[in-house]
Amino acid sequence: MRTKKHKRKTNRVVIVTSDAVDGKSRHLRLNHWAMQLLTVVICIAVGYVLGLIIYGEQYRSRIWDRADRRIEEVQAQNEQLQQQLEAAETEKMDMQSQVIALNSKIDLLSDTVNQKTEEMAGLMETIDGQYIPSCFPLSGSASIVEITEEEPTCVLNGTEGTTVVATATGVVTEVGEDTDYGNRVVVDHGNGYVTVYRNKGDCMVKVGDTVVQKSALFYIGSGNTRLGYQIQMDGGYINPVQMMDISG
C-alpha cells in the first residue's frame, strides 16, 4: 500500500528596503495565493500603464487629427463666409450705383414730365382760348356801332372783299334767314359761349360743320358790308365788344 506524498506549501517573502544608509528592511511574508494575486495585480498594472503609453499616444494623435480637421473646416467656412461677404459688398455697391443711375433717370424723367406738363398746360390753354369768342369777326377793318339795349349787338360795317369769320372754334348749329340782315349763322363753342352772325351775303357753311377761329362764314360784297354780331353766355346775351380783340 502506497503512502501519499503531500506537497509542501511554500511561502514567499517580499523584502522592502530603504535606500537610506540606515534604512531598515521590512519583510512581508505572502502565501502562495497572495503571491499569485500580487503577480496578477502587478501584471495588470504594468499592462494598463503600457496600454496608456501605447494607445494613449494613438488616442492623442486621433484627437489632434480631429482637431486639425475641425480647424481646417472652420477656416474653410470662414474663407467661404468672407468670400460671400465680399460678394455681398460688391453687389451692394453695384446696387447703389444702379440706384444712383435710376435716381438720375427719375430726375431727368421728372424734369421732362414737368416740361411736357407745362407745354401741355400751355397748349391746353391755347386750345381752350380758341373756343372763347375773342377774335375780331371780320378779316379786315371795319367801323363799329355798339347797341346795348335788350340783346346787346355789335354792328360792323366792313370793307368789300373781306370776309365774316368765326370768332372761335365751334360747331354750326343754325343756318337760316334773318328779317333784319337777310341771313343768320349760329355757332356753338361747347363751353357756354354761342356766337350769332347776321349778314345779307350767301352763307359759306351748313349746319353740323365744325369751324375754327377765322373760318370764313360770309363773303363781304358791295351789297352786304353790314354785319350784326352777338354773343350769348349760358343762354344770356353779353356785350360782344367786351370780348372782342379789336387789334385782331
Side-chain angles (χ1 to χ4, degrees), residues 7-238:
K7 289 184 178 180
R8 184 180 178 183
K9 294 182 180 180
T10 58
N11 294 325
R12 301 291 189 273
V13 178
V14 178
I15 301 173
V16 179
T17 61
S18 174
D19 57 356
V21 176
D22 57 349
K24 296 181 179 180
S25 297
R26 292 187 178 182
H27 297 77
L28 179 61
R29 187 178 299 275
L30 299 174
N31 59 24
H32 175 71
W33 296 108
M35 189 63 187
Q36 288 185 347
L37 179 60
L38 179 61
T39 302
V40 171
V41 171
I42 293 173
C43 290
I44 292 174
V46 172
Y48 177 75
V49 172
L50 291 176
L52 286 178
I53 295 172
I54 296 172
Y55 294 104
E57 185 65 29
Q58 295 178 356
Y59 178 75
R60 285 191 298 274
S61 178
R62 287 196 296 270
I63 293 297
W64 283 111
D65 290 341
R66 291 178 183 176
D68 291 340
R69 286 195 298 269
R70 183 56 183 167
I71 291 172
E72 291 176 357
E73 290 175 358
V74 171
Q75 289 177 346
Q77 291 176 356
N78 288 336
E79 291 178 358
Q80 185 177 5
L81 289 174
Q82 185 65 29
Q83 293 174 357
Q84 293 176 354
L85 181 61
E86 292 175 356
E89 188 67 24
T90 301
E91 185 177 359
K92 177 183 175 182
M93 295 177 65
D94 292 341
M95 291 181 68
Q96 289 177 344
S97 300
Q98 293 176 6
V99 168
I100 294 173
L102 287 174
N103 286 334
S104 299
K105 290 182 179 179
I106 290 172
D107 292 338
L108 179 60
L109 288 174
S110 179
D111 293 340
T112 303
V113 169
N114 291 335
Q115 181 180 357
K116 293 297 181 182
T117 301
E118 293 176 359
E119 292 177 357
M120 286 298 296
L123 180 60
M124 290 302 296
E125 184 178 354
T126 301
I127 292 174
D128 290 341
Q130 293 177 355
Y131 287 84
I132 297 175
S134 59
C135 181
F136 193 71
L138 290 171
S139 62
S141 60
S143 61
I144 302 174
V145 176
E146 185 179 354
I147 301 174
T148 58
E149 293 83 7
E150 297 181 356
E151 298 178 356
T153 304
C154 179
V155 180
L156 300 95
N157 288 309
T159 305
E160 185 179 347
T162 60
T163 56
V164 176
V165 297
T167 57
T169 299
V171 177
V172 178
T173 59
E174 183 181 344
V175 175
E177 295 181 357
D178 186 85
T179 49
D180 295 329
Y181 291 85
N183 294 310
R184 180 176 60 187
V185 173
V186 179
V187 178
D188 188 349
H189 303 285
N191 54 3
Y193 286 105
V194 175
T195 51
V196 182
Y197 310 82
R198 305 173 190 270
N199 186 264
K200 289 183 178 180
D202 294 331
C203 183
M204 302 173 66
V205 294
K206 63 184 184 297
V207 175
D209 285 351
T210 298
V211 295
V212 297
Q213 278 186 340
K214 298 186 178 181
S215 292
L217 303 178
F218 296 98
Y219 178 76
I220 301 295
S222 58
N224 65 321
T225 57
R226 191 168 70 111
L227 169 69
Y229 175 61
Q230 295 176 302
I231 298 178
Q232 293 180 356
M233 176 60 183
D234 295 331
Y237 286 91
I238 62 174

